Amino acid sequence: MKTKKVGSAGRFGPRYGTKTKKIVKKIESRMKKERVCPYCERTALKRVAAGIWYCKKCKTKFAGAAYFPKSD
Ligand SMILES: [Zn+2]
C-alpha cells in the first residue's frame, strides 16, 4: 500500500507514526539512488546484508554502511 505522504514507507500501514515513516522514505529513496560501485563506478551494487555490498559487474564484495554503500 502506498500513501501520498510517506511513499514507499506506506507498506508499514498505520503503524510506527508518520514521522518514523518519513525518515524511512528518505532513507529508501536514497537507497535506490546510491547504487554506484566505488571500485568500477557502475551502478551494479546489491546490498547482500546490513553493511555488506556486492557489485555485480566487478564481483567485489565489501563492507559499507548498513543502508548505503558508504557512510557520510
Ligand atoms: Zn564494481
mmCIF file of all heavy atoms in Angstrom, residues 36-45 54-60 62, ligand 1:
data_model
loop_
_atom_site.group_PDB
_atom_site.id
_atom_site.type_symbol
_atom_site.label_atom_id
_atom_site.label_comp_id
_atom_site.label_asym_id
_atom_site.label_seq_id
_atom_site.Cartn_x
_atom_site.Cartn_y
_atom_site.Cartn_z
ATOM 1 N N VAL A 36 26.097 2.995 -6.753
ATOM 2 C CA VAL A 36 27.289 3.078 -7.581
ATOM 3 C C VAL A 36 28.461 2.406 -6.875
ATOM 4 O O VAL A 36 28.775 2.704 -5.733
ATOM 5 C CB VAL A 36 27.627 4.554 -7.903
ATOM 6 C CG1 VAL A 36 28.878 4.635 -8.783
ATOM 7 C CG2 VAL A 36 26.455 5.217 -8.610
ATOM 8 N N CYS A 37 29.093 1.502 -7.577
ATOM 9 C CA CYS A 37 30.225 0.768 -7.030
ATOM 10 C C CYS A 37 31.437 1.689 -6.881
ATOM 11 O O CYS A 37 31.804 2.379 -7.838
ATOM 12 C CB CYS A 37 30.554 -0.390 -7.970
ATOM 13 S SG CYS A 37 32.069 -1.249 -7.518
ATOM 14 N N PRO A 38 32.058 1.709 -5.708
ATOM 15 C CA PRO A 38 33.235 2.575 -5.519
ATOM 16 C C PRO A 38 34.471 2.049 -6.256
ATOM 17 O O PRO A 38 35.470 2.746 -6.362
ATOM 18 C CB PRO A 38 33.444 2.570 -4.012
ATOM 19 C CG PRO A 38 32.784 1.327 -3.526
ATOM 20 C CD PRO A 38 31.663 1.018 -4.482
ATOM 21 N N TYR A 39 34.417 0.835 -6.758
ATOM 22 C CA TYR A 39 35.583 0.247 -7.431
ATOM 23 C C TYR A 39 35.507 0.407 -8.948
ATOM 24 O O TYR A 39 36.485 0.782 -9.585
ATOM 25 C CB TYR A 39 35.717 -1.232 -7.052
ATOM 26 C CG TYR A 39 35.966 -1.410 -5.581
ATOM 27 C CD1 TYR A 39 34.908 -1.689 -4.705
ATOM 28 C CD2 TYR A 39 37.244 -1.249 -5.054
ATOM 29 C CE1 TYR A 39 35.132 -1.824 -3.340
ATOM 30 C CE2 TYR A 39 37.472 -1.380 -3.694
ATOM 31 C CZ TYR A 39 36.417 -1.667 -2.847
ATOM 32 O OH TYR A 39 36.630 -1.787 -1.492
ATOM 33 N N CYS A 40 34.370 0.116 -9.552
ATOM 34 C CA CYS A 40 34.272 0.212 -11.008
ATOM 35 C C CYS A 40 33.349 1.356 -11.433
ATOM 36 O O CYS A 40 33.199 1.620 -12.618
ATOM 37 C CB CYS A 40 33.799 -1.109 -11.603
ATOM 38 S SG CYS A 40 32.122 -1.562 -11.146
ATOM 39 N N GLU A 41 32.728 2.016 -10.450
ATOM 40 C CA GLU A 41 31.870 3.178 -10.688
ATOM 41 C C GLU A 41 30.671 2.899 -11.582
ATOM 42 O O GLU A 41 30.189 3.764 -12.285
ATOM 43 C CB GLU A 41 32.696 4.358 -11.223
ATOM 44 C CG GLU A 41 33.655 4.861 -10.145
ATOM 45 C CD GLU A 41 34.456 6.086 -10.561
ATOM 46 O OE1 GLU A 41 34.501 6.353 -11.771
ATOM 47 O OE2 GLU A 41 34.992 6.751 -9.688
ATOM 48 N N ARG A 42 30.215 1.669 -11.554
ATOM 49 C CA ARG A 42 29.000 1.345 -12.280
ATOM 50 C C ARG A 42 27.857 1.103 -11.308
ATOM 51 O O ARG A 42 28.072 0.701 -10.168
ATOM 52 C CB ARG A 42 29.224 0.110 -13.158
ATOM 53 C CG ARG A 42 29.951 0.468 -14.444
ATOM 54 C CD ARG A 42 30.240 -0.766 -15.261
ATOM 55 N NE ARG A 42 31.280 -1.558 -14.611
ATOM 56 C CZ ARG A 42 31.945 -2.545 -15.213
ATOM 57 N NH1 ARG A 42 31.694 -2.839 -16.473
ATOM 58 N NH2 ARG A 42 32.857 -3.227 -14.584
ATOM 59 N N THR A 43 26.663 1.319 -11.739
ATOM 60 C CA THR A 43 25.505 1.162 -10.872
ATOM 61 C C THR A 43 25.093 -0.300 -10.835
ATOM 62 O O THR A 43 24.204 -0.724 -11.541
ATOM 63 C CB THR A 43 24.343 2.028 -11.375
ATOM 64 O OG1 THR A 43 24.869 3.284 -11.769
ATOM 65 C CG2 THR A 43 23.320 2.262 -10.289
ATOM 66 N N ALA A 44 25.793 -1.069 -10.047
ATOM 67 C CA ALA A 44 25.533 -2.508 -10.023
ATOM 68 C C ALA A 44 25.591 -3.074 -8.618
ATOM 69 O O ALA A 44 25.729 -4.264 -8.424
ATOM 70 C CB ALA A 44 26.540 -3.219 -10.913
ATOM 71 N N LEU A 45 25.485 -2.215 -7.632
ATOM 72 C CA LEU A 45 25.613 -2.690 -6.263
ATOM 73 C C LEU A 45 24.335 -3.355 -5.776
ATOM 74 O O LEU A 45 23.230 -2.928 -6.077
ATOM 75 C CB LEU A 45 25.962 -1.533 -5.328
ATOM 76 C CG LEU A 45 27.407 -1.051 -5.362
ATOM 77 C CD1 LEU A 45 27.600 -0.058 -4.242
ATOM 78 C CD2 LEU A 45 28.377 -2.199 -5.202
ATOM 79 N N TYR A 54 27.673 -5.918 -2.629
ATOM 80 C CA TYR A 54 28.242 -6.757 -3.668
ATOM 81 C C TYR A 54 28.023 -6.092 -5.017
ATOM 82 O O TYR A 54 26.916 -5.644 -5.339
ATOM 83 C CB TYR A 54 27.574 -8.138 -3.635
ATOM 84 C CG TYR A 54 28.042 -9.056 -4.739
ATOM 85 C CD1 TYR A 54 29.328 -9.593 -4.723
ATOM 86 C CD2 TYR A 54 27.195 -9.374 -5.802
ATOM 87 C CE1 TYR A 54 29.749 -10.433 -5.735
ATOM 88 C CE2 TYR A 54 27.614 -10.215 -6.819
ATOM 89 C CZ TYR A 54 28.888 -10.745 -6.786
ATOM 90 O OH TYR A 54 29.310 -11.556 -7.785
ATOM 91 N N CYS A 55 29.099 -6.024 -5.800
ATOM 92 C CA CYS A 55 28.995 -5.421 -7.124
ATOM 93 C C CYS A 55 28.869 -6.529 -8.159
ATOM 94 O O CYS A 55 29.708 -7.426 -8.230
ATOM 95 C CB CYS A 55 30.221 -4.567 -7.408
ATOM 96 S SG CYS A 55 30.231 -3.932 -9.101
ATOM 97 N N LYS A 56 27.792 -6.444 -8.934
ATOM 98 C CA LYS A 56 27.533 -7.487 -9.917
ATOM 99 C C LYS A 56 28.468 -7.386 -11.120
ATOM 100 O O LYS A 56 28.661 -8.346 -11.843
ATOM 101 C CB LYS A 56 26.075 -7.399 -10.389
ATOM 102 C CG LYS A 56 25.110 -7.971 -9.374
ATOM 103 C CD LYS A 56 23.677 -7.872 -9.857
ATOM 104 C CE LYS A 56 23.090 -6.517 -9.467
ATOM 105 N NZ LYS A 56 21.685 -6.369 -9.846
ATOM 106 N N LYS A 57 29.032 -6.202 -11.332
ATOM 107 C CA LYS A 57 29.889 -6.007 -12.502
ATOM 108 C C LYS A 57 31.319 -6.482 -12.243
ATOM 109 O O LYS A 57 31.872 -7.262 -12.991
ATOM 110 C CB LYS A 57 29.907 -4.528 -12.906
ATOM 111 C CG LYS A 57 28.553 -4.008 -13.355
ATOM 112 C CD LYS A 57 28.187 -4.484 -14.752
ATOM 113 C CE LYS A 57 26.820 -3.896 -15.134
ATOM 114 N NZ LYS A 57 26.232 -4.573 -16.278
ATOM 115 N N CYS A 58 31.936 -5.985 -11.166
ATOM 116 C CA CYS A 58 33.332 -6.363 -10.911
ATOM 117 C C CYS A 58 33.428 -7.438 -9.827
ATOM 118 O O CYS A 58 34.519 -7.827 -9.442
ATOM 119 C CB CYS A 58 34.163 -5.128 -10.560
ATOM 120 S SG CYS A 58 33.676 -4.292 -9.039
ATOM 121 N N LYS A 59 32.282 -7.906 -9.362
ATOM 122 C CA LYS A 59 32.198 -9.015 -8.397
ATOM 123 C C LYS A 59 32.986 -8.755 -7.108
ATOM 124 O O LYS A 59 33.601 -9.649 -6.552
ATOM 125 C CB LYS A 59 32.644 -10.326 -9.050
ATOM 126 C CG LYS A 59 31.708 -10.731 -10.190
ATOM 127 C CD LYS A 59 32.055 -12.089 -10.769
ATOM 128 C CE LYS A 59 30.965 -12.613 -11.670
ATOM 129 N NZ LYS A 59 30.577 -11.675 -12.746
ATOM 130 N N THR A 60 32.953 -7.531 -6.673
ATOM 131 C CA THR A 60 33.607 -7.166 -5.424
ATOM 132 C C THR A 60 32.581 -7.196 -4.298
ATOM 133 O O THR A 60 31.477 -6.686 -4.448
ATOM 134 C CB THR A 60 34.202 -5.751 -5.523
ATOM 135 O OG1 THR A 60 35.001 -5.672 -6.687
ATOM 136 C CG2 THR A 60 35.049 -5.433 -4.303
ATOM 137 N N PHE A 62 32.174 -5.979 -0.431
ATOM 138 C CA PHE A 62 32.845 -5.133 0.538
ATOM 139 C C PHE A 62 31.895 -4.681 1.630
ATOM 140 O O PHE A 62 30.674 -4.744 1.477
ATOM 141 C CB PHE A 62 33.486 -3.914 -0.146
ATOM 142 C CG PHE A 62 32.486 -3.003 -0.823
ATOM 143 C CD1 PHE A 62 32.039 -1.856 -0.179
ATOM 144 C CD2 PHE A 62 32.013 -3.298 -2.079
ATOM 145 C CE1 PHE A 62 31.128 -1.021 -0.797
ATOM 146 C CE2 PHE A 62 31.081 -2.461 -2.706
ATOM 147 C CZ PHE A 62 30.649 -1.329 -2.061
HETATM 148 ZN ZN ZN B 1 32.068 -2.724 -9.252
#
